[in-house]
Amino acid sequence: MKAAEAWNGPVGRHWADHPDRYDAMLAPFDAALFDAAAIGVDDRVLDIGCGSGGTSRAAARLARRGRVTGVDISEALVARARALTDPARDGDVTFELGDAQLHLFERGGYDVVISRGGVMFFADHVAAFTHIGGALRAGGRLAFVCPRPSPPDGEESRALTLLASMVGGDHAVDTSVARSMVSLSDPERTGSVLEAAGFEDVTALPVTAATRWGADAADAVDFFVSRTQGPPVTDGTHAAMADVFRPYETPEGVLLRAGVWVVSARRPC
Ligand SMILES: C[S@@+](CC[C@H](N)C(=O)[O-])C[C@H]1O[C@@H](n2cnc3c(N)ncnc32)[C@H](O)[C@@H]1O
């Protein structure tokens, strides 16, 4: 399945149905993303792969006299972003349905492009970032978060790999999405891609944070299983999966440490 189909199919619907869950999982990376983006009060901000719009609304709180446009390829997620946004509270934030690889952006119309995990799914990264770069004014900034897989013995990969093996083949998470997720995980390659796309001053900062999977181990299992396709797991499997999450239970919920790259770059002046 192509990523565009997945984000307009079960994967996108799941993200649209659980915006609070995914925001809780990814919000720990926002401080580093917004530090890198350095959004000013008058900035015009473009949020690529904005999903349900959490980062678009956060950007609008910083760009109080500017404006924010969120673009996403998923109809369900753009609809959810619009439903969650109140112009009276959130300011000048609008959402457009489109494929960021081809979308007709206002050329040079933005000061900052941000993305929290929405730029890994392109068929041709150099072409896509060249196109997106054209939306930035000269000297404009790009800042995005993308996964930095933990080593095989790392907390997150150890737990998630074990859990995936326990749910069985019928429950496999969409593989095209899983493959694309790590397409920008090599910072040297990302640097070459962005330079070939006309960016300069590329940096990749490793950031690690605790991602929240649920209120407790049983809740985390329910969420993990709901992300996969297939019949409900048996009570025995559910209990065994809860044991995998249990060591990570805290008063703040089930927290797994995960790594990302916060990548920043600039259009030449
Ligand atoms: C991992 S989710 C992140 C969503 C959101 N940024 C967040 O932090 O909640 C990836 C998002 O990128 C979107 N996406 C994938 N490929 C895209 C493309 N070519 N153009 C626009 N959006 C895309 C998906 O629909 C999805 O909403």
Side-chain angles (χ1 to χ4, degrees):
M1 192 192 286
K2 287 210 176 89
E5 289 166 35
W7 289 108
N8 277 295
V11 179
R13 270 199 304 281
H14 196 268
W15 280 70
D17 288 344
H18 301 280
D20 294 343
R21 292 275 198 166
Y22 285 110
D23 267 337
M25 192 182 281
L26 299 175
F29 302 113
D30 286 358
L33 171 65
F34 286 110
D35 269 1
I39 294 171
V41 288
D42 295 309
D43 279 349
R44 300 155 301 167
V45 182
L46 177 61
D47 187 359
I48 299 289
C50 62
S52 58
T55 46
S56 309
R57 289 183 291 277
R61 288 194 282 280
L62 299 169
R64 289 188 306 282
R65 293 195 303 260
R67 61 180 162 81
V68 179
T69 309
V71 174
D72 202 282
I73 202 168
S74 163
E75 280 187 43
L77 278 159
V78 168
R80 178 65 73 208
R82 288 177 177 148
L84 289 173
T85 302
D86 172 0
R89 182 195 59 208
D90 297 314
D92 191 349
V93 194
T94 52
F95 297 98
E96 296 175 7
L97 178 65
D99 181 343
Q101 301 171 98
L102 308 164
H103 194 65
L104 286 181
F105 298 116
E106 184 186 341
R107 307 316 283 168
Y110 295 92
D111 302 290
V112 189
V113 171
I114 61 167
S115 181
R116 189 176 70 183
V119 290
M120 297 87 73
F121 311 97
F122 303 142
D124 178 337
H125 281 99
V126 174
F129 280 113
T130 302
H131 180 67
I132 291 166
L136 276 172
R137 64 162 169 82
R141 301 177 300 286
L142 167 71
F144 65 82
V145 166
C146 62
R148 177 172 59 90
S150 50
D153 58 346
E155 185 167 284
E156 187 200 37
S157 50
R158 195 174 49 228
L160 299 186
T161 305
L162 184 53
L163 289 159
S165 72
M166 293 165 88
V167 288
D170 286 354
H171 294 78
V173 178
D174 185 280
T175 48
S176 67
V177 171
R179 259 199 317 275
S180 299
M181 277 286 182
V182 293
S183 67
L184 293 174
S185 294
D186 173 356
E188 271 182 38
R189 182 179 167 270
T190 304
S192 309
V193 163
L194 290 175
E195 279 160 17
F199 286 89
E200 60 184 24
D201 297 339
V202 181
T203 61
L205 181 72
V207 174
T208 302
T211 57
R212 188 178 189 277
W213 281 78
D216 56 28
D219 183 50
V221 174
D222 288 342
F223 180 61
F224 185 92
V225 173
S226 74
R227 299 172 82 219
T228 65
Q229 283 117 57
V233 295
T234 64
D235 289 350
T237 301
H238 193 285
M241 292 174 76
D243 286 343
V244 176
F245 274 126
R246 195 129 20 240
Y248 308 107
E249 277 184 330
T250 76
E252 285 76 45
V254 176
L255 304 181
L256 288 181
R257 291 181 70 70
V260 296
W261 293 110
V262 175
V263 177
S264 55
R266 180 182 293 278
R267 292 288 287 170
C269 290

